[in-house]
Amino acid sequence: MKVLHQVKAGQLTQRQAAEQLKLSTRWVKKLMKRLRTQGDCGILHGLRGKPSNRKISGKTRKRAIELVGKRYRDYGPTQAAEVLASEHKLQVSRESLRQWMTAAKLWQPKPAKLERAHGWRPRRSCRGELVQWDTSEHLWLEDRGPKLYLIAMIDDATSELTAQFALHDSTAENMKLLWKYVEQHGRPVEFYTDKASLFTINRRLHYNKHLPEPGEEKTQIGRALGELGIGWIGAHSPQAKGRIERCFGTLQDRLLKAMRRAGVSTLEAANRFLEEKYLPEWNERFRWEPECATDAHRPLRKDQKLASILSYMEDRVISNDFTVSWLGAHYQIPLGQAKPRMRKQRIRVEQRLDGSLVGMWQGSEIELRRCQVRAAPEPARTNTPAGRQKVKPNRAWMDHFWHGDPAKRRPRLPVTPVALRAPSVTGNPV
């Protein structure tokens, strides 16, 4: 109304009013015509106060109920509505007919069945029984530094938090946090994560769902958890691991502001602030006491070495010269550790988190030394102009082509000059 009065007073044009009201210029022109002839009531809808064209009268309703009660009592609302429309020309929706039949006690609706209910899952009773593990991608340093990833582990029974910042959400960074957690607390019973490619191998389903799946393959983290004796559970949805998700929501609010007040702007400062100040306050304030006093964490066995387990591992074949290929380079096994039965056998090559490369053979570590690559000889230079180098043609492939006795080799006949050749029938010299 206000915009139309501005148009009437000449303060706005009809096109400007149409842009403000998000209407067409033609419709604004009609509204202005109504405003001049009928006043402010001209903008009201013409059907206001009138009954709907689809309103069903009381006689139609009474007749429909009578017909259903006499002939179509055993029909449901859907089928009864179709029969009334086809045979008696009564256009009644099945929803309206369902309400009428229910009110007249001609039809009793079936109670809805609850297929599956997801109840609230209580906390685990023991500390270390289940640990949720996830990564939060967020602008933790805002515009003061690089983009960081927060990798966190939270105990399901106590909400005890272990976390660290990283520049990438990679296998190595997640293994570093796993090393830190195992050193501080021990080996938990199970980890609860999502189905990211860091924890499981995701492949497209085959068109034939009845075919057996290929052999169970594991990622590097999955292999490490298996060697440590730790179980793994994959969540089907983010809501399934809601404890770590709600933890990230709290951290994105509180931790972000705390680092802003502290002036944190680098990765090292963020990890130092998180380890020395924020995590102790979090665990002191939000940590719960478990129902059972038993700690489910287990210590490491003597045969479990974190440096070896938490590494990037692949199997390689030892060559006859006791070398191993790795990422396009060759590594030599020292002469003192080489044994004759190693040839053509598989060796476990481990790239540790500190960057070193170690081979494992029958439980013993073998130091792998990178072989030096021989430099290619420089081509001989000739006295040619600058920028142009004469390349000698390669004709060595014809050397020693004749493998028989040179004395028995058929001699090559000399070519007769054209002037001395005998004339042919056609007149051309042969």
Side-chain angles (χ1 to χ4, degrees):
M1 179 68 69
K2 182 180 178 181
V3 173
L4 293 179
H5 277 288
Q6 291 179 355
V7 175
K8 185 178 180 180
Q11 300 176 2
L12 290 176
T13 62
Q14 292 184 358
R15 180 175 296 180
Q16 294 174 351
E19 293 177 357
Q20 292 187 14
L21 298 176
K22 296 182 180 181
L23 300 174
S24 63
T25 309
R26 183 180 180 183
W27 185 244
V28 172
K29 185 177 181 180
K30 289 184 178 181
L31 291 178
M32 291 301 302
K33 186 177 180 180
R34 292 182 184 180
L35 187 65
R36 295 188 186 97
T37 56
Q38 303 178 16
D40 294 345
C41 296
I43 64 172
L44 298 178
H45 200 279
L47 298 178
R48 182 167 182 170
K50 296 181 180 181
S52 174
N53 295 331
R54 293 180 295 177
K55 183 179 180 180
I56 301 175
S57 61
K59 294 182 179 180
T60 305
R61 176 181 178 181
K62 184 178 180 180
R63 185 186 175 190
I65 295 176
E66 290 178 356
L67 290 173
V68 172
K70 292 180 181 179
R71 302 184 184 181
Y72 315 113
R73 188 181 184 91
D74 297 335
Y75 290 16
T78 303
Q79 190 176 3
E82 294 175 358
V83 173
L84 291 177
S86 60
E87 297 184 3
H88 303 280
K89 307 301 179 182
L90 293 177
Q91 300 294 336
V92 181
S93 65
R94 60 182 181 181
E95 182 63 25
S96 299
L97 190 59
R98 184 187 67 82
Q99 296 178 3
W100 297 349
M101 293 175 64
T102 304
K105 298 182 179 180
L106 299 176
W107 183 74
Q108 183 67 27
K110 296 181 181 179
K113 295 182 180 180
L114 187 61
E115 296 181 357
R116 187 178 180 182
H118 297 274
W120 179 263
R121 182 181 62 82
R123 291 175 177 265
R124 297 298 176 97
S125 58
C126 298
R127 177 177 175 268
E129 187 176 355
L130 182 68
V131 178
Q132 297 189 17
W133 182 0
D134 202 0
T135 303
S136 175
E137 179 182 357
H138 192 65
L139 294 175
W140 294 100
L141 300 180
E142 298 174 317
D143 56 349
R144 302 186 307 275
K147 181 180 179 180
L148 301 181
Y149 294 81
L150 180 63
I151 309 174
M153 298 178 178
I154 187 169
D155 188 78
D156 190 75
T158 62
S159 294
E160 186 175 357
L161 184 63
T162 304
Q164 71 178 13
F165 285 106
L167 293 175
H168 308 282
D169 185 20
S170 60
T171 300
E173 298 295 340
N174 281 266
M175 281 186 174
K176 289 179 182 179
L177 181 63
L178 179 58
W179 190 329
K180 177 181 177 181
Y181 184 92
V182 173
E183 282 187 341
Q184 291 182 357
H185 309 287
R187 296 179 296 146
V189 179
E190 288 178 325
F191 275 113
Y192 198 26
T193 69
D194 54 12
K195 293 184 179 180
S197 59
L198 296 175
F199 306 103
T200 181
I201 297 177
N202 300 313
R203 288 193 177 93
R204 298 180 61 182
L205 294 177
H206 195 268
Y207 68 92
N208 189 352
K209 300 180 181 179
H210 302 285
L211 286 178
E213 296 183 359
E216 184 179 358
E217 301 180 11
K218 295 183 179 180
T219 61
Q220 294 294 331
I221 295 181
R223 173 199 54 79
L225 293 179
E227 294 180 3
L228 289 173
I230 302 175
W232 174 80
I233 302 176
H236 297 290
S237 64
Q239 293 80 5
K241 49 182 183 61
R243 197 170 309 285
I244 189 68
E245 298 292 345
R246 292 190 295 272
C247 171
F248 283 146
T250 305
L251 292 174
Q252 290 175 6
D253 180 30
R254 297 171 181 253
L255 178 59
L256 189 72
K257 298 175 182 177
M259 291 194 299
R260 184 194 304 163
R261 292 191 296 267
V264 177
S265 59
T266 60
L267 174 63
E268 294 76 11
N271 280 324
R272 186 167 54 253
F273 177 83
L274 184 67
E275 184 69 24
E276 297 178 358
K277 186 174 182 181
Y278 192 82
L279 286 182
E281 295 180 359
W282 170 281
N283 293 327
E284 182 180 358
R285 181 174 181 179
F286 297 107
R287 187 179 183 277
W288 284 58
E289 290 297 330
E291 296 181 1
C292 182
T294 304
D295 192 352
H297 288 105
R298 299 156 295 169
L300 288 172
R301 301 194 304 266
K302 293 183 179 180
D303 59 333
Q304 293 176 338
K305 299 180 180 180
L306 290 179
S308 175
I309 296 175
L310 300 179
S311 61
Y312 185 84
M313 184 275 296
E314 286 187 8
D315 291 338
R316 289 291 187 268
V317 177
I318 303 176
S319 303
N320 290 332
D321 55 353
F322 297 100
T323 58
V324 176
S325 62
W326 180 264
L327 299 180
H330 292 272
Y331 293 84
Q332 182 70 51
I333 298 177
L335 183 60
Q337 298 180 354
K339 300 178 181 179
R341 61 177 182 273
M342 283 186 174
R343 294 188 177 96
K344 300 301 181 182
Q345 299 297 322
R346 289 190 172 272
I347 184 174
R348 170 171 168 162
V349 181
E350 301 174 353
Q351 187 171 5
R352 304 288 174 84
L353 295 179
D354 57 357
S356 60
L357 194 67
V358 179
M360 296 294 296
W361 169 262
Q362 296 182 354
S364 58
E365 295 185 1
I366 298 177
E367 180 186 1
L368 299 178
R369 302 172 183 176
R370 184 166 183 173
C371 301
Q372 296 182 359
V373 181
R374 296 181 179 179
E378 296 183 359
R381 296 184 177 275
T382 58
N383 297 329
T384 55
R388 296 179 59 185
Q389 185 174 357
K390 187 175 180 181
V391 180
K392 184 179 180 181
N394 183 14
R395 299 193 181 93
W397 66 277
M398 289 294 295
D399 294 348
H400 309 289
F401 184 75
W402 176 261
H403 296 284
D405 189 0
K408 297 181 180 180
R409 186 174 179 180
R410 183 178 178 180
R412 187 176 180 181
L413 299 176
V415 180
T416 306
V418 179
L420 300 180
R421 294 180 185 179
S424 60
V425 179
T426 57
N428 297 328
V430 179

Coordinates of all heavy atoms in Angstrom, one line a residue, residues 259-314:
M259 N 41.7 -18.8 21.1 CA 43.0 -18.6 20.3 C 43.0 -17.2 19.7 O 44.1 -16.6 19.5 CB 43.1 -19.6 19.2 CG 43.3 -21.0 19.6 SD 43.8 -22.2 18.3 CE 42.4 -22.1 17.3
R260 N 41.9 -16.6 19.4 CA 41.8 -15.2 19.0 C 42.3 -14.2 20.1 O 43.1 -13.3 19.8 CB 40.4 -14.8 18.5 CG 40.3 -13.4 17.9 CD 38.9 -13.0 17.9 NE 38.1 -14.0 17.1 CZ 36.8 -14.1 17.1 NH1 36.1 -13.2 17.9 NH2 36.1 -15.0 16.4
R261 N 41.9 -14.5 21.3 CA 42.3 -13.6 22.4 C 43.8 -13.8 22.7 O 44.5 -12.9 23.1 CB 41.5 -13.9 23.7 CG 40.0 -13.5 23.6 CD 39.4 -13.6 24.9 NE 39.3 -14.9 25.4 CZ 38.3 -15.8 25.2 NH1 37.2 -15.4 24.5 NH2 38.3 -17.0 25.7
A262 N 44.3 -15.0 22.5 CA 45.7 -15.3 22.8 C 46.6 -14.9 21.6 O 47.8 -14.9 21.8 CB 45.9 -16.8 23.1
G263 N 46.1 -14.5 20.5 CA 46.9 -14.1 19.4 C 47.6 -15.2 18.7 O 48.7 -15.0 18.1
V264 N 47.1 -16.4 18.7 CA 47.7 -17.6 18.0 C 47.6 -17.4 16.5 O 46.5 -17.2 16.0 CB 47.0 -18.9 18.5 CG1 47.7 -20.0 17.7 CG2 47.2 -19.0 20.0
S265 N 48.7 -17.6 15.8 CA 48.7 -17.4 14.3 C 49.5 -18.4 13.6 O 49.6 -18.3 12.4 CB 49.2 -16.0 14.0 OG 50.6 -15.8 14.5
T266 N 50.1 -19.4 14.3 CA 50.9 -20.4 13.6 C 50.5 -21.8 14.1 O 49.8 -21.9 15.1 CB 52.4 -20.2 13.8 OG1 52.6 -20.3 15.3 CG2 52.9 -18.9 13.3
L267 N 50.9 -22.8 13.3 CA 50.6 -24.2 13.7 C 51.2 -24.6 15.0 O 50.6 -25.2 15.9 CB 51.0 -25.1 12.6 CG 50.9 -26.6 12.9 CD1 49.4 -27.0 13.1 CD2 51.5 -27.4 11.7
E268 N 52.5 -24.2 15.2 CA 53.2 -24.6 16.4 C 52.5 -23.9 17.6 O 52.4 -24.5 18.7 CB 54.7 -24.2 16.3 CG 55.4 -25.0 15.3 CD 55.2 -24.5 13.9 OE1 54.5 -23.5 13.7 OE2 55.6 -25.2 12.9
A269 N 52.2 -22.6 17.5 CA 51.6 -21.9 18.6 C 50.2 -22.5 18.9 O 49.8 -22.6 20.1 CB 51.5 -20.4 18.3
A270 N 49.4 -22.9 17.9 CA 48.1 -23.5 18.1 C 48.2 -24.8 18.9 O 47.4 -25.0 19.8 CB 47.4 -23.7 16.8
N271 N 49.1 -25.7 18.5 CA 49.3 -26.9 19.2 C 49.8 -26.7 20.6 O 49.4 -27.4 21.6 CB 50.3 -27.9 18.4 CG 49.6 -28.6 17.3 OD1 48.4 -28.9 17.3 ND2 50.3 -28.7 16.2
R272 N 50.7 -25.7 20.8 CA 51.2 -25.5 22.2 C 50.0 -24.9 23.0 O 49.9 -25.3 24.2 CB 52.3 -24.5 22.1 CG 53.0 -24.2 23.4 CD 54.3 -23.5 23.2 NE 54.2 -22.3 22.5 CZ 54.6 -22.1 21.2 NH1 55.2 -23.2 20.6 NH2 54.5 -21.0 20.5
F273 N 49.2 -24.0 22.5 CA 48.1 -23.5 23.3 C 47.1 -24.6 23.6 O 46.5 -24.6 24.7 CB 47.4 -22.4 22.5 CG 46.2 -21.8 23.1 CD1 46.3 -20.8 24.1 CD2 44.9 -22.2 22.7 CE1 45.2 -20.3 24.7 CE2 43.8 -21.7 23.3 CZ 43.9 -20.7 24.3
L274 N 46.8 -25.5 22.6 CA 45.9 -26.5 22.8 C 46.3 -27.5 23.9 O 45.6 -28.0 24.7 CB 45.6 -27.3 21.5 CG 44.6 -28.4 21.4 CD1 43.2 -27.8 21.7 CD2 44.6 -29.1 20.1
E275 N 47.6 -27.9 23.9 CA 48.2 -28.9 24.8 C 48.4 -28.3 26.2 O 48.1 -29.0 27.2 CB 49.5 -29.4 24.2 CG 50.1 -30.5 25.0 CD 49.3 -31.8 24.9 OE1 48.6 -32.0 23.9 OE2 49.4 -32.6 25.8
E276 N 48.8 -27.1 26.3 CA 49.2 -26.6 27.6 C 48.0 -25.9 28.3 O 48.0 -26.0 29.6 CB 50.4 -25.6 27.5 CG 51.6 -26.2 26.9 CD 52.7 -25.2 26.7 OE1 52.5 -24.0 27.0 OE2 53.8 -25.6 26.3
K277 N 47.1 -25.3 27.6 CA 46.1 -24.5 28.3 C 44.7 -25.1 28.1 O 43.9 -25.2 29.0 CB 46.2 -23.1 27.8 CG 45.2 -22.1 28.6 CD 45.5 -20.7 28.2 CE 44.6 -19.8 29.0 NZ 44.8 -18.3 28.6
Y278 N 44.3 -25.3 26.8 CA 42.9 -25.6 26.6 C 42.4 -27.0 26.9 O 41.4 -27.2 27.6 CB 42.5 -25.3 25.1 CG 41.1 -25.2 24.8 CD1 40.3 -24.1 25.1 CD2 40.4 -26.4 24.4 CE1 39.0 -24.0 24.8 CE2 39.0 -26.3 24.2 CZ 38.3 -25.2 24.4 OH 37.0 -25.1 24.2
L279 N 43.2 -28.0 26.5 CA 42.8 -29.4 26.8 C 42.7 -29.6 28.3 O 41.8 -30.3 28.8 CB 43.8 -30.3 26.2 CG 43.6 -30.5 24.6 CD1 44.5 -31.5 24.1 CD2 42.1 -30.9 24.3
P280 N 43.7 -29.2 29.2 CA 43.5 -29.4 30.6 C 42.2 -28.7 31.2 O 41.5 -29.3 32.0 CB 44.8 -28.7 31.2 CG 45.8 -28.8 30.1 CD 45.0 -28.6 28.9
E281 N 41.9 -27.5 30.7 CA 40.6 -26.9 31.1 C 39.4 -27.7 30.7 O 38.4 -27.8 31.4 CB 40.6 -25.5 30.6 CG 41.6 -24.6 31.2 CD 41.5 -23.1 30.7 OE1 40.7 -22.9 29.9 OE2 42.4 -22.3 31.1
W282 N 39.5 -28.2 29.4 CA 38.3 -29.0 28.9 C 38.1 -30.2 29.7 O 37.0 -30.5 30.1 CB 38.6 -29.3 27.4 CG 37.6 -30.3 26.8 CD1 37.6 -31.7 27.0 CD2 36.5 -30.0 26.0 NE1 36.6 -32.2 26.3 CE2 35.9 -31.3 25.7 CE3 36.0 -28.9 25.5 CZ2 34.8 -31.4 24.9 CZ3 34.8 -29.0 24.7 CH2 34.2 -30.2 24.4
N283 N 39.2 -31.0 29.9 CA 39.1 -32.3 30.6 C 38.7 -32.0 32.1 O 38.0 -32.9 32.7 CB 40.4 -33.1 30.5 CG 40.6 -33.5 29.1 OD1 39.7 -33.8 28.4 ND2 41.9 -33.6 28.7
E284 N 39.1 -30.9 32.7 CA 38.7 -30.6 34.0 C 37.2 -30.2 34.2 O 36.6 -30.6 35.2 CB 39.6 -29.5 34.6 CG 39.3 -29.2 36.0 CD 40.2 -28.1 36.6 OE1 41.0 -27.6 35.8 OE2 40.0 -27.7 37.7
R285 N 36.7 -29.6 33.1 CA 35.3 -29.1 33.2 C 34.3 -30.1 32.7 O 33.2 -30.2 33.2 CB 35.2 -27.8 32.5 CG 33.8 -27.1 32.5 CD 33.8 -25.7 31.9 NE 32.5 -25.1 32.0 CZ 32.2 -23.9 31.5 NH1 33.2 -23.2 31.0 NH2 31.0 -23.4 31.6
F286 N 34.6 -30.7 31.5 CA 33.6 -31.5 30.8 C 33.8 -33.0 31.0 O 33.1 -33.8 30.4 CB 33.6 -31.2 29.3 CG 33.2 -29.8 29.0 CD1 34.2 -28.9 28.6 CD2 31.9 -29.3 29.2 CE1 33.8 -27.6 28.3 CE2 31.6 -28.0 28.9 CZ 32.5 -27.1 28.5
R287 N 34.8 -33.4 31.7 CA 35.1 -34.9 31.9 C 34.1 -35.5 32.8 O 33.8 -34.9 33.9 CB 36.5 -35.1 32.4 CG 36.9 -36.5 32.4 CD 38.3 -36.7 32.9 NE 38.8 -38.1 32.9 CZ 38.5 -39.0 33.8 NH1 37.9 -38.6 34.9 NH2 38.9 -40.2 33.7
W288 N 33.5 -36.6 32.5 CA 32.6 -37.4 33.3 C 33.3 -38.5 34.0 O 34.3 -39.0 33.6 CB 31.5 -38.0 32.4 CG 30.4 -37.0 31.9 CD1 30.6 -35.9 31.2 CD2 29.0 -37.1 32.1 NE1 29.5 -35.3 30.9 CE2 28.4 -36.0 31.5 CE3 28.2 -38.0 32.8 CZ2 27.1 -35.8 31.5 CZ3 26.8 -37.8 32.8 CH2 26.3 -36.7 32.1
E289 N 32.7 -38.9 35.1 CA 33.2 -40.1 35.8 C 32.5 -41.3 35.3 O 31.2 -41.3 35.2 CB 32.9 -39.9 37.3 CG 33.8 -38.9 38.0 CD 35.2 -39.2 38.0 OE1 35.6 -40.4 37.9 OE2 36.0 -38.3 37.9
P290 N 33.2 -42.3 34.8 CA 32.5 -43.5 34.2 C 31.8 -44.3 35.3 O 32.0 -44.2 36.5 CB 33.7 -44.3 33.7 CG 34.9 -43.9 34.5 CD 34.6 -42.4 34.9
E291 N 30.8 -45.0 34.8 CA 30.0 -45.9 35.7 C 30.9 -47.0 36.3 O 30.7 -47.3 37.5 CB 28.8 -46.5 34.9 CG 27.8 -45.5 34.4 CD 26.7 -46.2 33.7 OE1 26.7 -47.4 33.6 OE2 25.8 -45.5 33.2
C292 N 31.8 -47.5 35.6 CA 32.7 -48.6 36.1 C 34.1 -48.0 36.2 O 34.6 -47.3 35.4 CB 32.7 -49.7 35.1 SG 33.7 -51.1 35.7
A293 N 34.7 -48.3 37.4 CA 36.0 -47.8 37.6 C 37.1 -48.5 36.9 O 38.3 -48.1 36.9 CB 36.3 -47.8 39.1
T294 N 36.8 -49.6 36.2 CA 37.8 -50.4 35.5 C 38.2 -49.6 34.2 O 37.4 -49.1 33.5 CB 37.2 -51.8 35.1 OG1 36.8 -52.4 36.3 CG2 38.3 -52.6 34.4
D295 N 39.5 -49.6 34.0 CA 40.1 -48.9 32.8 C 40.3 -50.0 31.7 O 41.0 -50.9 31.9 CB 41.4 -48.2 33.1 CG 41.8 -47.3 32.0 OD1 41.2 -47.3 30.9 OD2 42.8 -46.5 32.2
A296 N 39.6 -49.8 30.6 CA 39.7 -50.8 29.5 C 40.9 -50.7 28.7 O 41.1 -51.5 27.8 CB 38.5 -50.8 28.6
H297 N 41.7 -49.6 28.9 CA 43.0 -49.5 28.1 C 43.9 -50.6 28.4 O 44.1 -51.0 29.6 CB 43.6 -48.1 28.4 CG 42.8 -47.0 27.8 ND1 42.0 -46.1 28.5 CD2 42.7 -46.5 26.5 CE1 41.5 -45.2 27.7 NE2 41.9 -45.4 26.5
R298 N 44.7 -51.1 27.4 CA 45.6 -52.1 27.6 C 47.0 -51.6 27.2 O 47.2 -50.8 26.3 CB 45.3 -53.3 26.7 CG 43.9 -53.9 27.0 CD 43.4 -54.7 25.7 NE 43.2 -53.7 24.6 CZ 42.9 -54.1 23.4 NH1 42.9 -55.4 23.1 NH2 42.7 -53.2 22.5
P299 N 48.0 -52.0 27.9 CA 49.4 -51.6 27.6 C 49.9 -52.3 26.4 O 49.4 -53.3 25.9 CB 50.2 -52.0 28.8 CG 49.5 -53.1 29.4 CD 48.0 -52.9 29.1
L300 N 51.0 -51.7 25.8 CA 51.6 -52.4 24.6 C 52.3 -53.6 25.0 O 52.9 -53.7 26.0 CB 52.5 -51.4 23.9 CG 51.9 -50.2 23.2 CD1 53.0 -49.2 22.8 CD2 51.2 -50.7 22.0
R301 N 52.3 -54.6 24.1 CA 53.1 -55.8 24.3 C 54.5 -55.6 23.9 O 54.9 -54.6 23.2 CB 52.5 -57.0 23.5 CG 51.0 -57.3 23.8 CD 50.7 -58.7 23.2 NE 51.0 -58.7 21.8 CZ 50.0 -58.4 20.8 NH1 48.8 -58.1 21.2 NH2 50.4 -58.5 19.5
K302 N 55.4 -56.5 24.2 CA 56.8 -56.3 23.9 C 57.0 -56.4 22.4 O 58.0 -55.8 21.9 CB 57.6 -57.4 24.6 CG 57.6 -57.3 26.1 CD 58.5 -58.3 26.8 CE 58.5 -58.2 28.3 NZ 59.4 -59.2 28.9
D303 N 56.2 -57.2 21.7 CA 56.4 -57.3 20.2 C 55.8 -56.2 19.4 O 55.9 -56.1 18.2 CB 55.9 -58.6 19.7 CG 54.4 -58.8 20.0 OD1 54.0 -58.2 21.0 OD2 53.8 -59.5 19.3
Q304 N 55.1 -55.3 20.1 CA 54.4 -54.2 19.4 C 55.3 -52.9 19.5 O 55.4 -52.3 20.6 CB 53.0 -53.9 20.0 CG 52.0 -55.1 19.7 CD 50.7 -54.9 20.4 OE1 50.6 -54.1 21.4 NE2 49.7 -55.5 19.9
K305 N 55.9 -52.5 18.4 CA 56.7 -51.3 18.4 C 55.9 -50.2 17.6 O 55.6 -50.5 16.4 CB 58.0 -51.6 17.7 CG 58.8 -52.6 18.5 CD 60.2 -52.9 17.8 CE 61.0 -53.9 18.6 NZ 62.3 -54.2 17.9
L306 N 55.6 -49.1 18.2 CA 54.8 -48.1 17.5 C 55.6 -47.5 16.3 O 54.9 -47.2 15.3 CB 54.5 -47.0 18.5 CG 53.6 -47.3 19.6 CD1 53.4 -46.1 20.6 CD2 52.2 -47.8 19.1
A307 N 56.9 -47.4 16.4 CA 57.6 -46.8 15.2 C 57.4 -47.7 14.0 O 57.4 -47.2 12.8 CB 59.1 -46.7 15.5
S308 N 57.3 -49.0 14.2 CA 57.2 -49.9 13.1 C 55.7 -50.1 12.6 O 55.4 -50.1 11.4 CB 57.7 -51.3 13.4 OG 57.5 -52.3 12.4
I309 N 54.8 -50.1 13.6 CA 53.4 -50.3 13.2 C 52.8 -49.1 12.6 O 52.1 -49.1 11.6 CB 52.6 -50.7 14.5 CG1 53.1 -52.1 15.0 CG2 51.1 -50.8 14.2 CD1 52.5 -52.5 16.3
L310 N 53.1 -47.9 13.2 CA 52.6 -46.6 12.7 C 53.5 -46.1 11.6 O 54.2 -45.0 11.8 CB 52.4 -45.6 13.8 CG 51.4 -46.1 14.9 CD1 51.3 -45.1 16.0 CD2 50.1 -46.5 14.4
S311 N 53.6 -46.7 10.5 CA 54.4 -46.3 9.4 C 53.7 -46.7 8.1 O 52.7 -47.5 8.1 CB 55.8 -46.9 9.4 OG 55.7 -48.3 9.4
Y312 N 54.2 -46.1 7.0 CA 53.6 -46.5 5.7 C 54.4 -47.7 5.2 O 55.6 -47.7 5.0 CB 53.8 -45.4 4.7 CG 53.2 -45.6 3.3 CD1 51.8 -45.4 3.1 CD2 53.9 -46.2 2.3 CE1 51.2 -45.7 1.9 CE2 53.4 -46.4 1.1 CZ 52.0 -46.2 0.9 OH 51.4 -46.5 -0.3
M313 N 53.7 -48.9 5.1 CA 54.3 -50.2 4.9 C 53.8 -50.8 3.6 O 52.6 -50.7 3.2 CB 54.0 -51.1 6.0 CG 54.6 -52.5 5.9 SD 53.8 -53.7 4.9 CE 52.3 -53.9 5.8
E314 N 54.7 -51.3 2.8 CA 54.4 -52.1 1.6 C 55.5 -53.2 1.5 O 56.6 -53.1 2.0 CB 54.5 -51.3 0.4 CG 53.3 -50.3 0.2 CD 53.3 -49.6 -1.1 OE1 54.1 -50.0 -2.0 OE2 52.4 -48.7 -1.3

